[in-house]
Amino acid sequence: MSGTLYLCATPIGNLNDITLRTLETLKAVDLIAAEDTRHSRILLDHFGITTPMTSYHEHNKYEKAGILVEKLLTGMNLALITDAGTPAISDPGEELVRQCLAAGISVTSLPGPCACITALTISGLPARRFCFEAFLPSEKKERRQVLEELKEETRTTILYEAPHRLGKTLAELCEALGERRLTICRELTKKYEEGWQTTLSEAASFYQENEARGEFVLVLEGRSAQALAEEKAREWEQMSLPEHLEFYLNQGMEKKEAMKQMAKDRGCTKREIYQGLL
Ligand code: SAM
């Protein structure tokens, strides 16, 4: 019988946020895999947990996940903790989960703190539908691509950012997306927690002037669905008649229906559209 991998969420600032089940599990398992064993030692010492630890981080995750899977296959139970928050959310946990599932090992998650959800709940922005972008890619082309996609994203978007890159990221977001409401969540669950309800332009100019300190989550308003629909509906203005037809055909319309819609868009008759297309 193989053991179980327990994903244990740990506090993102306030040690009291650890759950009773996480404490019991960290005491009971045979081994704890931690992103930074020195950092996690402080947490474990605080709660009197003496379970042995091993390191599992971004730079050893592929081969170390294999070693941990071997241990689980012998029947050992393992807990995974990362520097803070929920393992597998924007940290190396994902790879271990993937390898465990591929080896038929049972994986369970003990819910607890997670910076993105904590930020969303205090943002004051719509929380019914949201998307999580984590850190924007650092590679230029990929980053541009994500910024392009965000232009059309109508859901509230949650981003992580390191303090030394915050000013640059806010300036780029502002340039790509224009004005949007934004809540900057800083030092969540800690003594100086802040939730600043601002806008992209105000935050970008503030962080041009002021150094960012602490940990940040950005919660960004989605694009207005109505404005997006209006923009889409006007796209034909830049198109020739055949392009306009193609546009609707690509959306799955029948030719007749497309020509009717084209006439409506252009304020002319279907006959004029037909003749124009000849
Ligand atoms: N697994 C973690 C989770 O569940 O949220 C996230 C790990 S990710 C590597 C670290 C990022 O989370 C930080 O750069 C910051 O953007 C965000 N973060 C973590 N703790 C935070 C806090 N107390 N306040 C604000 N943001 C935090």
Side-chain angles (χ1 to χ4, degrees), residues 36-78:
D36 177 342
T37 51
R38 272 191 303 179
H39 174 90
S40 295
R41 181 84 271 153
I42 302 167
L43 178 84
L44 299 191
D45 284 350
H46 181 83
F47 290 107
I49 296 165
T50 54
T51 309
M53 262 194 293
T54 186
S55 75
Y56 170 78
H57 50 71
E58 191 56 37
H59 306 291
N60 72 0
K61 65 181 178 184
Y62 297 107
E63 70 276 17
K64 192 60 183 269
I67 295 168
L68 296 176
V69 164
E70 300 269 299
K71 291 187 188 297
L72 283 151
L73 287 172
T74 67
M76 283 174 78
N77 288 315
L78 250 79

Side-chain angles (χ1 to χ4, degrees), residues 97-222:
V97 172
R98 197 185 61 73
Q99 291 199 26
C100 282
L101 295 178
I105 291 161
S106 106
V107 176
T108 187
S109 184
L110 279 59
C114 185
C116 58
I117 298 298
T118 310
L120 176 68
T121 55
I122 63 160
S123 69
L125 291 167
R128 189 176 74 83
R129 297 174 70 237
F130 63 89
C131 71
F132 175 53
E133 270 298 335
F135 295 93
L136 286 178
S138 51
E139 200 273 314
K140 259 191 184 165
K141 195 169 157 222
E142 222 185 314
R143 193 173 173 97
R144 253 202 319 271
Q145 169 73 32
V146 173
L147 288 171
E148 270 310 302
E149 287 169 15
L150 288 182
K151 283 184 186 171
E152 300 206 344
E153 179 55 71
T154 56
R155 294 169 295 180
T156 298
T157 301
I158 310 170
L159 296 147
Y160 285 165
E161 192 47 289
H164 62 281
R165 286 192 295 259
L166 185 69
K168 178 174 173 275
T169 296
L170 286 170
E172 280 180 329
L173 284 167
C174 191
E175 195 190 325
L177 312 181
E179 194 59 311
R180 298 262 184 105
R181 286 191 294 158
L182 170 75
T183 302
I184 300 198
C185 300
R186 189 178 152 268
E187 297 288 82
L188 290 164
T189 77
K190 301 183 195 175
K191 190 169 173 192
Y192 297 108
E193 171 178 296
E194 276 174 17
W196 180 27
Q197 291 173 277
T198 177
T199 62
L200 262 181
S201 66
E202 187 181 34
S205 60
F206 180 83
Y207 283 108
Q208 292 310 319
E209 305 290 321
N210 299 279
E211 190 190 342
R213 289 213 186 112
E215 296 196 277
F216 292 86
V217 181
L218 309 179
V219 188
L220 183 64
E221 176 184 35

Side-chain angles (χ1 to χ4, degrees), residues 215-247:
E215 296 196 277
F216 292 86
V217 181
L218 309 179
V219 188
L220 183 64
E221 176 184 35
R223 175 86 195 272
S224 146
Q226 194 186 335
L228 186 64
E230 282 168 10
E231 188 185 292
K232 290 265 167 218
R234 282 198 312 271
E235 271 179 12
W236 64 265
E237 285 173 5
Q238 320 298 327
M239 298 175 195
S240 65
L241 274 181
E243 283 167 348
H244 196 176
L245 178 65
E246 185 80 10
F247 173 75

